[in-house]
Amino acid sequence: MNNNNSLDYKALFLGPNSENSNAFSEILNSLFQDHVYWRKNFHPEDPDVITSNVKNNENFKYTLEKMKSVFDDMSKRLRENATPWHSPRYLGHMNSETLVPGLLGYFGAMLYNLNNVAYESSEPTSVMEKEVGEDFCKLMEYPKGWGHICADGSIANYEAIWYARNLKSLPFAIEEVEPELVKGKSKWELLNMPIEDIINILELSNNKMDILKSHSARSLATEIQDLGVWLVPETKHYSWLKAADILGIGTHNLIPIKLDNHYRMNLTELKNTIDSYISKGTPILGLVAVVGTTEEGAVDYVDKILELKNQYAKNGINFYFHIDAAYGGYARSIFLDENYNFIDKNDLKNKFAENNIFYNKDLNWPSEDIYNAFKAMKYADSITIDPHKMGYIPYSAGGIVIKDKRMRDSISYFASYVFEKGVKVPALLGAFIMEGSKSGAAAASVWAAHRVLPLNVTGYGKLIGASIEGAYNLYDYISNKKYFTVNDKKVYVEPLTIPDFNMVDFVLNVEGNKDLNSLNKLNEDLYNLSSIFSPDIYSNGFVTSHTDFSMADYSDSPLDILQRLNVPKEEWDKVKNLTLLRACVLSPFLNDPEVFKEYIPKVESNIIRKLSLLVK
Amino acid sequence: MNNNNSLDYKALFLGPNSENSNAFSEILNSLFQDHVYWRKNFHPEDPDVITSNVKNNENFKYTLEKMKSVFDDMSKRLRENATPWHSPRYLGHMNSETLVPGLLGYFGAMLYNLNNVAYESSEPTSVMEKEVGEDFCKLMEYPKGWGHICADGSIANYEAIWYARNLKSLPFAIEEVEPELVKGKSKWELLNMPIEDIINILELSNNKMDILKSHSARSLATEIQDLGVWLVPETKHYSWLKAADILGIGTHNLIPIKLDNHYRMNLTELKNTIDSYISKGTPILGLVAVVGTTEEGAVDYVDKILELKNQYAKNGINFYFHIDAAYGGYARSIFLDENYNFIDKNDLKNKFAENNIFYNKDLNWPSEDIYNAFKAMKYADSITIDPHKMGYIPYSAGGIVIKDKRMRDSISYFASYVFEKGVKVPALLGAFIMEGSKSGAAAASVWAAHRVLPLNVTGYGKLIGASIEGAYNLYDYISNKKYFTVNDKKVYVEPLTIPDFNMVDFVLNVEGNKDLNSLNKLNEDLYNLSSIFSPDIYSNGFVTSHTDFSMADYSDSPLDILQRLNVPKEEWDKVKNLTLLRACVLSPFLNDPEVFKEYIPKVESNIIRKLSLLVK
């Protein structure tokens, strides 16, 4: 070992063939024994409660056997029908095997069962969660930020609206309670105050904070309805619909923005939408950009959206800006050097080479758009980031990070019994989040992974790079393949777009077919033969996922790929839906040309075998 | 083994001294090996990806060592500062050691990392969650009900308001979309329609359901503000404040109802409050009863509240009725026979004896009030129930169960990519819940525990009984003790109330002291010496928790105990706060007279030792 050592993430997965099972087992048992002896040594003078007398009891033995048979049943059920995320043959949902630090971090801490909502009940794991929050802030370049783990990305997205809604309603509360602070402002100006100005006033009014808040949206339902619309790209995750419903702004105020050919939010559409609401006197409550859409892996033009936002600000139009990077958030680590500085565009290739990010030194990623989008993320008010997606952490671990920790005051609650007084604590989590109990083990899981793999190009960046390169390998393979020959027919395969990130959507069509229903059926049928529900998973050599683009959700965005598949526009106008196959390449092994060469021909032969059942 | 065997829960805990570590270790490793060989046997022809060549690499070894050192650090942090829930000396928060089936169910399933929000990604654990939901329905006698696991009880409480709010807004949507269905109804009548009638109409209008919903509170913020007030007892968990904020009804519409001397919702106050709102023309959106308050373990008069509700119904006043049984929900299992029928009051003592529920056959629990309250729970519209509280399951596993599964339609969302078509699935969870990803392992954890311990008097009932008897042992001990002698002074100890459930709150006061600030300081100081933050946890022989009753939250309810402590009312009027010590007796071992006799004198001597530092 020496200072020149760099991390090899292959040591951090159990492996497709359980290659690292011995190391796993060793740490597993060591964590368990540590816990066992901790119990024994808390007052070693205390006698056993479960004595050998008790253990010799027939009922005790019966209970033990019953428990064993339950676990036998559980293990059988899991092995029969669980999805084989671990295999490079799995190219579907955003899943792969998870990091050993994530798995064993969870297990090791679960034995102590700490509740991170209250510091008193979770000293060690609360400190770990604080450190994870700091990691998120470094990742996003939020020097004054704050972050935490939550149940999942949907909850994080709800929190974003919660912040936006309560903050944006405060100017009216200020007008009522401390009118001199917003003296002379019109209603429109109050509705359009910059988030930072609102936070500053909230901080200044510290001794009146509770009164202010009691006049805000949190206290009065009537304060919500005038706050305006919440803008999201058409690629939005469905949690945004639920969010608008749950947070009381209403789904009618959730306005989808059309996409461009890259499945990124169309900037002209965005500007036109904002202008049209403003001209009607409706304010913009907030705007969401997505970094890593769940269906396409698309990355919105964060930098250009911010330019637009800044232009509006000059005209007194201000809104909350959130980035839904539940999927793509961890990818920012590839852009940070070992000191967490965003790497200059001109140095990127060298840094990647230095850290062995890509096997293919000429891999053409990131494009300028992607680079600029990731770079600009630090200007958002808040960002959703899910460890249980590209953090390779087991469920459930979502997360959110906010740019300015003072924002928390707008949503805080204190319950005397969970928040002890006079104790130096890192953060009274329960006061600032939606949950009222939360697993300390989830924090330990993320913490352990972050401690081994820092959130920069020397750590997670390598893993993210592997995933992206695997996706590009697959994209190149599909692009070059062009068609499969099946029962003497050509079945064309067409990728949706060049990947912004690590997802490859593609569509199959039989040569000469112009019927969209038939096309959809072919892809649906192939999916059915390649899903976890297909018969005999053991003989199923390729498992994937699928998705649907409907006109209601996607407007005419699918026309581009349909044209490439020779399906006429009239078909789209009639059928209004396109079924795609969707491969999130999370496997950290398909970047290796040797592994790719081993596995992808197997995948191909399985696709052809299945297609031969469908294309006669 | 024979049919006469009954369950001994002592086989299901690791034990205060890790007495069952061998059995734990055996199952732990067997679950892990099962998983290892499952991976190896999914396409056994596939070559290793992490080859011995890779393993011999310096970077690989370095990474492995780094991971081990992170776990070493993690284990040290946990052992240094984790709370010793496992010891019978811990009498504080609602924690104890958790069930082995819960711990190993989580671990065993976590290896497969399934996501229960989508059936496709979680077949085995989705089925387990469905079975857990059915268990909850049996527990609550909800033949047409539905239940699921969620992140925690706060999220479950938010869901309850979500159901109530969206359902109660539907009559106006019906009036707009299908006016003939509510023809002739006044606005007041629409605001007061019974939940069941609304569900029936929603079902009848199946083909127009989406249109109806788009006219309801989920779509339009303006539909929320007229729905009325949400009533909760003053003992409410602070999640209800957050709930009113988040769900957009506003905390001003959250109305606390005063308590009686048992810290249960005062029925006269409840009736007066309802009458006063009705007379002002403000409807009642919903009402919450608590079964097991978090600070007192109090059980509201569910049966009498229902009587009142039924009287109002006769006058055309209807509201949603939710029970927050996050803490006390599992206790209903003690009242169900092996066929999940509620045991007749006259048979209860026999059934308890038959199943060895109590060591003390004369234990005076439940009172008639408690029995009737639990019995009536089945009439509520929904119930919060947390496996990670009295289910002895590790965090995070909350839960909610609804009486009529058709209620789900009022909050459902469908996202095409997560919900596959044409597949027989138990429940498209993501469509009906707040979360967008959720751990299948949490479901397996609860499932395994429920399979070993059925939710009736033969299973969980025994564990609940042990906890209650432990609490009564402590209550009797404190009641009989009356005072400790410390440095020649008497320090009186006074329990708050006789426990409705398994929690014993108590207050200490030095003989002759009438000063409430001094009293509070004494209890606070003793807590500080008995908390996880006190120096040297190893020598700390008694660990507890504390709480504060403020006048703002509790009105004058604390006057009763203050009188018993000889503190005059004027002190309360001046100080407006009472600090109590709070012992949730979750340990499943303090029911055993031998164990109690072993541990409680140690606890007592520690209390006296600490008091001697405080009372000079």
Side-chain angles (χ1 to χ4, degrees), chain A residues 216 230 247 258 276 421 442 571:
Chain A
S216 76
W230 187 262
L247 274 290
K258 289 187 184 175
S276 112
K421 295 161 288 188
E571 280 291 299

Coordinates of all heavy atoms in Angstrom, one line a residue, chain A residues 216 230 247 258 276 421 442 571:
Chain A
S216 N -48.3 32.5 7.6 CA -47.9 32.0 6.3 C -48.7 30.8 5.9 O -49.6 30.4 6.5 CB -46.4 31.6 6.4 OG -46.2 30.4 7.0
W230 N -46.4 25.8 -10.7 CA -45.2 25.1 -10.5 C -44.8 24.4 -11.9 O -45.6 23.6 -12.4 CB -45.4 24.0 -9.4 CG -44.2 23.3 -9.0 CD1 -43.8 22.0 -9.3 CD2 -43.2 23.7 -8.0 NE1 -42.6 21.7 -8.7 CE2 -42.3 22.7 -7.8 CE3 -43.1 24.9 -7.2 CZ2 -41.2 22.8 -7.0 CZ3 -42.0 24.9 -6.3 CH2 -41.1 23.9 -6.2
L247 N -49.3 18.7 -1.3 CA -48.9 20.0 -0.7 C -50.0 21.1 -0.8 O -49.8 22.2 -0.5 CB -47.6 20.5 -1.3 CG -46.3 20.0 -0.6 CD1 -46.1 20.6 0.8 CD2 -46.2 18.5 -0.5
K258 N -42.9 21.5 -22.6 CA -42.6 20.6 -23.7 C -41.1 20.4 -23.8 O -40.3 21.2 -23.3 CB -43.2 21.1 -25.0 CG -44.7 20.9 -25.0 CD -45.3 21.3 -26.4 CE -46.8 21.2 -26.3 NZ -47.4 21.6 -27.6
S276 N -46.5 33.7 -20.6 CA -48.0 33.7 -20.7 C -48.6 33.8 -19.3 O -49.6 34.4 -19.1 CB -48.4 32.5 -21.5 OG -49.1 31.5 -20.7
K421 N -33.1 19.8 25.4 CA -32.6 21.2 25.5 C -31.2 21.1 26.0 O -30.7 20.2 26.7 CB -33.4 22.0 26.5 CG -34.9 22.2 26.1 CD -35.8 22.5 27.2 CE -36.1 21.3 28.1 NZ -37.1 21.6 29.2
A442 N -30.0 3.5 7.8 CA -29.9 4.1 6.4 C -28.8 5.1 6.4 O -28.1 5.2 5.4 CB -31.3 4.7 6.0
E571 N -49.8 7.7 -38.0 CA -49.9 6.6 -37.0 C -49.8 7.1 -35.6 O -50.6 6.7 -34.7 CB -48.8 5.6 -37.3 CG -49.1 4.6 -38.4 CD -50.2 3.7 -38.1 OE1 -50.1 2.9 -37.2 OE2 -51.3 3.8 -38.8

